[in-house]
Amino acid sequence: MNEGLIPKRYAKALYLVACQRKVDTEIYEKMKALERNFMEYPQFDESLNNPYIPFDDKASLIVSAAGVKKDDSTLSDFIRLLGKNKRIGMMRAIGAAYVEIYREQHDIYSVRVASASQLSSGEESRLKKMIQSHLGGGVMEYEMSVDPSLIGGFTVSVGNEKIDASVSNELKQLRLNLISK
């Protein structure tokens, strides 16, 4: 079966149960925390897929990384289900699929902006307004970073869409045009 299909099915089931129990937003926040930990600690994913690490240790790792509290039975039950079905190694993909489902259902856009240098508050405010008008509504989860390799300008990523208004991109395009002639 398709590796992308299985995590989506588990995520959809978790989302439906979370909505019934009115904890969908809490689980959304925990899944985002989990994804941050997966990105920050690459060995986290390796540990979940290691057959020599006992399930209880893997479950404890997920609980700790997601910030699951003792009273969060929905996520605890879900982790036990993954263990029972031998799917604990798919937790990263399931978490990402849950975040995607939640964002679709709540009209939330993940926006990442990178600029060559720190933007002033006025520039950043104007950029946010431009992005918000481009999105045509919905909620914007905004993340700003500085990337000196851009030389100048900025990039904006919204889902699969990317706008590259950087000097490094202009130089790259110029170089490609010169090479092709």
Side-chain angles (χ1 to χ4, degrees), residues 58-71:
K58 293 176 184 182
S60 295
L61 191 59
I62 292 170
V63 164
S64 175
V68 177
K69 295 183 174 61
K70 293 184 190 290
D71 62 341

Side-chain angles (χ1 to χ4, degrees), residues 49-115:
N49 288 302
N50 186 334
Y52 298 108
I53 296 177
F55 167 74
D56 289 340
D57 292 345
K58 293 176 184 182
S60 295
L61 191 59
I62 292 170
V63 164
S64 175
V68 177
K69 295 183 174 61
K70 293 184 190 290
D71 62 341
D72 187 359
S73 64
T74 304
L75 204 48
S76 298
D77 291 347
F78 183 73
I79 292 168
R80 278 194 294 281
L81 175 71
L82 291 178
K84 179 182 170 192
N85 294 343
K86 309 276 190 248
R87 302 285 193 203
I88 197 79
M90 294 184 162
M91 191 64 211
R92 183 176 191 167
I94 293 168
Y98 183 92
V99 167
E100 185 179 313
I101 291 168
Y102 185 90
R103 285 180 176 156
E104 280 179 19
Q105 295 299 314
H106 292 86
D107 206 18
I108 298 173
Y109 298 94
S110 175
V111 177
R112 290 179 313 283
V113 176
S115 66

Side-chain angles (χ1 to χ4, degrees), residues 135-153:
L135 295 176
V139 177
M140 180 171 63
E141 287 183 347
Y142 183 83
E143 182 183 317
M144 178 72 190
S145 64
V146 175
D147 182 1
S149 71
L150 297 176
I151 302 172

